């Protein structure tokens, strides 16, 4: 993970990150990532809330997979065992919003503005298991390379919530794909 994050970060900073996009079902990607992370999440309760019949979204399967892995690994790492991690998707008119919410201590408000900076870690002593401070910087670069946004907020009942958006194609995605291929 560290090597993968360092490689992604150097590509992002060199402006050399080109997502290899294709049409995918986000529900399938989430299932896939949660399946792979089962050993990591084994001591937490993962709750998935993905609506049926979401439209396909143009994404780089491996890169958006990396974003999810970084967010879910954090949700495991920075929260007590046995607590819930909610992974959910919401559709708006223009985008899909993927959310990873946990029941940990949340983010000190003063750290929120720099949370996605490379090598930035929250200073509070109890919030410091091992880590390089790369995961969120990489997640931000990968999401932005897809034309999306990523942000963090504290949940009302406690815990942190990370949300990223992926733009939905305007109009008919199959038609858009056909046009892209013909260009
Ligand atoms: P790496 O991901 O490189 O292994 P890391 O987890 O420290 O290291 P980031 O994933 O970029 O780095 O996270 C930055 C900091 O944000 C973390 O050090 C932690 O302090 C804080 N943080 C991230 N996710 C959460 C969370 N779910 N709850 C509370 N704090 C978090
Ligand atoms: Mg991390």
């Amino acid at each position: 993970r560290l090597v993968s994050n360092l490689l992604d970060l150097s590509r992002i900073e060199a402006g050399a990150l080109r997502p290899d996009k294709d049409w995918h079902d986000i529900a399938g990607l989430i299932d896939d990532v949660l399946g792979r992370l089962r050993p990591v999440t084994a001591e937490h309760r993962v709750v998935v809330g993905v609506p049926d019949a979401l439209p396909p979204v143009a994404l780089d399967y491996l890169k958006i997979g990396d974003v999810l892995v970084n967010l879910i690994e954090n949700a495991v790492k920075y929260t007590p065992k046995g607590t819930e991690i909610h992974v959910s998707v919401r559709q708006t008119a223009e985008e899909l919003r993927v959310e990873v919410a946990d029941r940990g201590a949340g983010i000190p408000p003063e750290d929120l503005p720099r949370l996605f900076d490379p090598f930035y870690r929250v200073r509070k002593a109890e919030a410091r298991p091992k880590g390089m401070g790369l995961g969120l910087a990489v997640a931000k670069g990968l999401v932005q390379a897809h034309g999306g946004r990523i942000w963090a907020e504290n949940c009302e009942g406690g815990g942190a919530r990370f949300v990223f958006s992926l733009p939905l194609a305007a109009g008919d995605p199959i038609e858009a794909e056909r046009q892209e291929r013909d260009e």
Side-chain angles (χ1 to χ4, degrees), residues 26 49 51-56 88-98 166 168-169:
I26 193 89
D52 293 332
L54 288 169
S88 56
V89 181
R90 236 160 6 105
Q91 182 181 355
T92 73
E94 282 105 32
E95 59 194 23
L96 290 186
R97 289 192 179 172
V98 183
L166 293 169
L168 289 170

Side-chain angles (χ1 to χ4, degrees), residues 131-149:
M132 287 287 290
L134 287 175
L136 291 178
V138 167
K140 181 180 176 181
L142 296 178
V143 167
Q144 287 182 339
H146 283 76
R149 295 168 298 130

Side-chain angles (χ1 to χ4, degrees), residues 62-174:
L62 296 177
K63 299 300 181 200
I64 295 301
D66 285 347
V67 172
L68 273 167
V69 168
N70 275 316
L71 296 182
I72 295 166
E73 277 189 346
N74 282 349
V76 168
K77 195 157 70 162
Y78 300 111
T79 66
K81 288 175 186 172
T83 57
E84 284 186 359
I85 298 171
H86 286 253
V87 181
S88 56
V89 181
R90 236 160 6 105
Q91 182 181 355
T92 73
E94 282 105 32
E95 59 194 23
L96 290 186
R97 289 192 179 172
V98 183
E99 189 176 302
V100 178
D102 65 51
R103 287 290 175 202
I107 316 285
E110 64 271 22
D111 290 299
L112 278 172
R114 299 193 53 203
L115 206 61
F116 293 88
D117 292 357
F119 303 106
Y120 190 79
R121 307 197 69 219
V122 170
R123 266 154 234 295
K124 257 173 55 186
E126 71 270 22
R128 305 204 62 178
K130 59 182 176 345
M132 287 287 290
L134 287 175
L136 291 178
V138 167
K140 181 180 176 181
L142 296 178
V143 167
Q144 287 182 339
H146 283 76
R149 295 168 298 130
I150 186 166
W151 66 95
E153 53 201 26
N154 287 307
C155 304
E156 267 159 42
R161 174 194 295 132
F162 289 83
V163 189
F164 67 91
S165 66
L166 293 169
L168 289 170
D172 178 358
I174 303 296

Side-chain angles (χ1 to χ4, degrees), residues 8 51 109 124 162 167 177 182:
D8 277 342
K124 257 173 55 186
F162 289 83
E177 183 187 26
D182 292 344

